[in-house]
Amino acid sequence: MSVVITGSIAYDYIMSFPGFFKDHILPEKIHEISVSFLVDSMKKQRGGIATNIAYNLALLGERLFVADSQRHAVFGFDLQGRFVTRFGQRGTGPGEFNRPEGLCVDVQDRLYVADSCNHRIQIFAPDGKLIRTYGRAGSGLGELSYPYDIAVDGNGFQFVCEFGNSRIQVLDANDEPVEIIGGPGAAPGRFNNPWAVALDSQGNLYVADALNHRVQKLIRRQPFWSGRREAS
């Protein structure tokens, strides 16, 4: 199983604190805690939210990829959480990124990257070799506007979360568009700058409908999705 993570990656000075924080906290005062600590030294090393999550998941035996939207790159880590590879740089060419956001790994371990400000999806092999790219800026079928996330089901259908077009675009395993879900609005099944998507084991789609301040669950139908909201 592969895991993808989005978040910050830092290379900064880290405080070395001897002992444990718990030894300096009064349990009866936990509701009004305010503390400061003296440290013996500082050391420079990699850190950040994404790498901290990646390290802890790696301890569970997962293979990890992290999208760093600030450095316009994707980082790979081994099962011990150690840095293995980095690919991509800022740009518009094949394999380059402009604020990569969501990631997804399909059943064949291909890595899908939502290259948001390049208005496209890029697909890579696990070693970082580019396989193919699709999408261009626009609002028509097959066009994308700030894709922030992507989910891929077991049949290769891709669900691209378009922040700019306030919709979910469904494409088949050959990157051909087959359906548009939603559109701008606040009604059930409509979106206002959706930020992220996920699929459950039954193939139902969950959408983080950011500026409507809700999560919508879309019930799967055959062969595609209804866009009907079950809960928010």
Side-chain angles (χ1 to χ4, degrees):
M1 176 180 175
S2 297
V3 176
V4 294
I5 301 168
T6 58
S8 62
I9 295 178
Y11 190 64
D12 206 349
Y13 286 99
I14 308 298
M15 294 182 293
S16 297
F17 177 74
F20 300 93
F21 289 125
K22 67 179 182 179
D23 297 333
H24 300 267
I25 296 174
L26 300 175
E28 67 274 14
K29 297 291 185 179
I30 196 69
H31 62 290
E32 54 183 23
I33 188 170
S34 176
V35 296
S36 60
F37 299 98
L38 294 176
V39 297
D40 294 335
S41 61
M42 299 181 70
K43 56 184 178 180
K44 199 170 186 180
Q45 64 183 41
R46 294 186 184 275
I49 294 173
T51 48
N52 289 337
I53 296 172
Y55 175 78
N56 284 281
L57 286 176
L59 296 179
L60 300 176
E62 308 294 354
R63 187 161 56 87
L64 306 164
F65 293 102
V66 178
D68 188 342
S69 60
Q70 299 302 309
R71 298 188 184 190
H72 312 282
V74 173
F75 292 79
F77 297 85
D78 67 13
L79 297 183
Q80 286 72 48
R82 296 173 299 203
F83 171 77
V84 173
T85 187
R86 166 183 173 163
F87 56 92
Q89 61 183 8
R90 186 166 193 170
T92 59
E96 297 178 330
F97 303 114
N98 190 355
R99 290 190 63 87
E101 293 285 348
L103 303 176
C104 180
V105 176
D106 69 10
V107 295
Q108 298 182 41
D109 270 351
R110 293 174 297 200
L111 181 67
Y112 295 69
V113 182
D115 188 8
S116 65
C117 292
N118 280 330
H119 311 286
R120 65 186 180 184
I121 301 296
Q122 299 201 68
I123 304 168
F124 297 84
D127 61 0
K129 181 179 179 181
L130 180 65
I131 298 174
R132 65 184 189 271
T133 298
Y134 70 84
R136 63 179 183 273
S139 58
L141 274 175
E143 297 177 332
L144 303 172
S145 179
Y146 298 101
Y148 267 27
D149 201 9
I150 181 170
V152 182
D153 72 9
N155 296 314
F157 284 100
Q158 306 169 55
F159 300 81
V160 181
C161 178
E162 295 187 58
F163 183 87
N165 283 327
S166 291
R167 69 187 186 184
I168 308 300
Q169 187 163 180
V170 186
L171 302 98
D172 65 18
N174 297 314
D175 310 328
E176 293 295 326
V178 294
E179 185 176 6
I180 296 292
I181 298 174
R190 311 291 285 188
F191 308 109
N192 189 355
N193 296 137
W195 197 279
V197 290
L199 292 164
D200 66 17
S201 59
Q202 283 75 47
N204 301 312
L205 184 69
Y206 297 78
V207 182
D209 190 7
L211 295 190
N212 279 329
H213 310 286
R214 64 189 181 187
V215 173
Q216 297 199 64
K217 178 182 178 181
L218 307 180
I219 307 301
R220 181 173 188 170
R221 62 175 169 80
Q222 297 296 336
F224 304 123
W225 274 248
S226 66
R228 177 173 63 85
R229 184 187 69 171
E230 179 183 79
S232 65

